[in-house]
Amino acid sequence: MVTHPDLVPTLGARRAVIAYLAVFGAVLLLMMALGLLMRLNQGALVTLPPEIFYQSMTVHGTGMVGVASIGGAAVLWYFLGRYVRLTTWVFVLNLLTFTVGAAMILFADFVGGFAAAWTFLFPLPAKAGGQWEQWAAMVHLGGLLLIGTGFLLFHLDTARAILGRYGSLTRALGWPSLFGNDPEPPPPTIVASTMVLIVNTMGLVFGASVLVISLINLVVPQFTIDALIAKNMIYFFGHVFINATIYMAVIVVYELLPEYTGRPWKPNRPFLAAWTLSTVLVMVAYPHHLLMDFGMPHWLLILGQIVSYVSGLPILVVTAFGALMIVYRSGLRWDLAAGLLFIGVFGWAAGVVPAIIDATIIVNSVMHNTLWVPGHFHTYLLLGQVAMVLGFVAWTGKTRASQLFNALAFWIFVAGGIGLTQSFLYAGRLGIPRRFAEYLPEWIGQARIGAFSAALVVIGTVMLVGPLFIRLNRAMAVR
Ligand code: HEM
């Protein structure tokens, strides 16, 4: 088996990756602007009509989940392409379906008024209470289905390529080394990509199924599904899909830290065991989103709580420990990309702590509908996943920005990110509800701190992705 990169990406492949990063940067900034607007509204610094707040919340939530996945896919595809032969047109098709799907969602939400949140819980899309028309719900759900189909094709192509080289998914997960004596395990990128393709294919199939059922229900109202089963399907899909964005993005850490330090990241048995364990656990942990649903079987909720404690931890521990070990006394020369990768691992680790607290049933029954939840997921997504993808953007190395500019961009982004996420967590601790457009006077102060921090995040992100756009032509030619 090959444990070092042996394929060089073609110019077309590199251009496709840069196109992904450009879409990632543009959509990320747009969604961040909507997030800032919501926080300004909660801080009573601007006044949005309530329907615009909930449309913005729907677009922001859906768009952020999608854009995190686009960034993760760019990372995965670029580095996986060093080991196996991938199909560029399938990769490009996924970007096209994403772009068209995102445009459909923007239209359905801001023109059609659809505002059922990114969770589109059945039967809400069809029961709008006069807030939106049937066509808007259909266009929104259709956009999601299109995006999901693109991602399914993307993962099927990675499956084809990995199977072509490694013969089976278990070999690609490193089982001959984990359970046997094979001295040459597959590289971390192969292991991570295999895990992601397994869990995301499962998630996408469930997501697409419930979307189709909801779409039929919009046209034929007699065609229904049990609301709790639909919720299970939606959260299985949503939980797996958003977790997979981190597992895709972390590949950049496995590939680049060894380049920076000159120390290889060779998967050992704990590493392989962690990825295999999380492949199963990430799919079993989703009931922690349904701890407040009294109709759920109790054994499933207890299973959800216990599994949540361990689901993501194995990968996080081997990655954080591995990153520290590889950097320790390596003489690494810190630059923007290395800093963002490191902060990405930190943000991921920091965000998991409040998430695990929230997955505990007695805590969840008090905290789940508070801002504690946006607090934990913004930590591991914004300071974790997004930071890692931004590290990849920086590594593409097209910026001629000065060291001072880069340092400023980095610290503005990090300081803003910490302020925003802490304002959410602090508000959650005080019991301030999530998804409220209008606040009581005593809630406004922390929302203003959040809004100020959010503005910093937006400025930092403009500084981090701006150089990519300014030098897009050049960016396409190198690396
Ligand atoms: C400048 C950065 C950001 C700001 C200012 C921001 C702001 C917000 C605000 C104000 C909410 C509504 C909170 C509530 O009252 O319930 C929210 C929700 C959300 N945000 Fe962000 N956010 C940012 C970045 C991100 C990122 C990077 C992601 C993911 C990659 C993300 C994903 C979400 C999701 C999934 C929701 C839940 C929407 C819902 O409840 O339906 N956000 N954000």
Side-chain angles (χ1 to χ4, degrees):
M1 301 230 176
V2 179
T3 55
H4 57 84
D6 61 348
L7 296 176
V8 179
T10 62
L11 181 62
R14 279 175 285 156
R15 284 189 167 159
V17 171
I18 296 296
Y20 262 69
L21 294 183
V23 171
F24 168 81
V27 179
L28 180 72
L29 278 171
L30 186 65
M31 295 304 125
M32 281 182 168
L34 287 177
L36 171 60
L37 203 59
M38 282 191 284
R39 216 65 188 118
L40 286 168
N41 181 72
Q42 289 171 332
L45 293 167
V46 300
T47 308
L48 294 177
E51 65 275 16
I52 300 289
F53 178 91
Y54 288 108
Q55 289 161 21
S56 304
M57 192 186 86
T58 303
V59 172
H60 173 85
T62 315
M64 281 298 194
V65 173
V67 84
S69 215
I70 281 294
V75 168
L76 182 150
W77 200 82
Y78 180 83
F79 291 112
L80 183 61
R82 289 176 162 187
Y83 306 96
V84 296
R85 282 186 203 289
L86 297 162
T87 318
T88 306
W89 70 261
V90 174
F91 184 56
V92 173
L93 182 67
N94 183 36
L95 186 63
L96 287 178
T97 50
F98 174 81
T99 313
V100 175
M104 286 168 70
I105 289 168
L106 275 174
F107 187 75
D109 297 9
F110 283 135
V111 180
F114 184 81
W118 82 278
T119 39
F120 60 90
L121 281 184
F122 180 86
L124 188 55
K127 305 243 184 282
Q131 289 298 306
W132 60 83
E133 295 194 17
Q134 185 202 32
W135 72 262
M138 293 189 73
V139 173
H140 180 99
L141 298 184
L144 283 180
L145 193 58
L146 190 63
I147 293 175
T149 309
F151 272 103
L152 192 57
L153 293 175
F154 168 84
H155 289 301
L156 289 179
D157 185 52
T158 64
R160 176 204 54 74
I162 290 174
L163 288 175
R165 180 144 203 176
Y166 289 87
S168 74
L169 295 178
T170 50
R171 279 175 77 81
L173 282 173
W175 282 18
S177 306
L178 177 60
F179 300 115
N181 293 319
D182 187 344
E184 283 298 334
T189 298
I190 296 289
V191 178
S193 305
T194 306
M195 182 271 201
V196 169
L197 86 85
I198 294 171
V199 301
N200 246 3
T201 304
M202 297 289 290
L204 284 164
V205 168
F206 276 91
S209 308
V210 72
L211 278 169
V212 171
I213 293 168
S214 301
L215 276 164
I216 299 177
N217 171 262
L218 278 162
V219 187
V220 187
Q222 302 84 331
F223 185 93
T224 58
I225 178 175
D226 180 277
L228 193 55
I229 292 181
K231 189 170 180 185
N232 273 269
M233 292 169 78
I234 290 171
Y235 274 99
F236 175 73
F237 150 72
H239 169 81
V240 166
F241 195 69
I242 196 64
N243 271 276
T245 66
I246 304 183
Y247 301 140
M248 293 195 262
V250 76
I251 290 173
V252 67
V253 177
Y254 296 149
E255 289 284 339
L256 293 190
L257 281 189
E259 273 183 30
Y260 272 97
T261 57
R263 295 172 171 177
W265 195 312
K266 192 168 178 201
N268 50 19
R269 275 210 172 93
F271 181 95
L272 297 171
W275 277 90
T276 290
L277 202 61
S278 287
T279 306
V280 180
L281 296 185
V282 76
M283 291 192 281
V284 188
Y286 84 91
H288 65 211
H289 294 279
L290 293 105
L291 295 178
M292 302 190 87
D293 289 84
F294 54 83
M296 286 287 287
H298 279 181
W299 65 267
L300 206 56
L301 299 183
I302 292 166
L303 183 75
Q305 166 174 325
I306 296 169
V307 172
S308 302
Y309 289 159
V310 282
S311 135
L313 272 187
I315 299 183
L316 175 60
V317 169
V318 291
T319 306
F321 187 73
L324 288 173
M325 285 304 98
I326 225 167
V327 166
Y328 181 64
R329 294 201 167 172
S330 65
L332 178 145
R333 287 170 64 89
W334 290 98
D335 65 7
L336 181 58
L340 284 165
L341 297 186
F342 215 72
I343 209 75
V345 178
F346 158 79
W348 177 21
V352 162
V353 178
I356 288 181
I357 294 174
D358 185 54
T360 308
I361 295 175
I362 47 164
V363 178
N364 187 276
S365 58
V366 182
M367 303 295 266
H368 194 66
N369 285 328
T370 72
L371 285 170
W372 185 264
V373 174
H376 73 65
F377 69 69
H378 279 89
T379 309
Y380 53 69
L381 291 175
L382 176 64
L383 284 173
Q385 203 271 351
V386 168
M388 291 184 212
V389 180
L390 289 173
F392 181 51
V393 170
W395 176 78
T396 56
K398 314 315 163 327
T399 158
R400 288 233 182 102
S402 68
Q403 270 190 350
L404 177 66
F405 180 87
N406 283 343
L408 268 177
F410 176 84
W411 286 113
I412 291 174
F413 175 81
V414 172
I418 291 175
L420 177 68
T421 52
Q422 289 307 304
S423 81
F424 277 144
L425 284 172
Y426 181 70
R429 189 179 152 269
L430 297 181
I432 299 175
R434 67 180 288 202
R435 289 179 167 173
F436 268 37
E438 272 181 49
Y439 275 13
L440 295 173
E442 55 270 34
W443 300 346
I444 283 174
Q446 55 74 34
R448 288 189 175 167
I449 295 174
F452 172 74
S453 309
L456 290 182
V457 176
V458 175
I459 295 170
T461 310
V462 168
M463 292 169 78
L464 290 172
V465 297
L468 176 75
F469 290 105
I470 293 168
R471 310 190 65 80
L472 207 55
N473 277 340
R474 190 169 162 269
M476 293 201 165
V478 269
R479 283 270 191 219

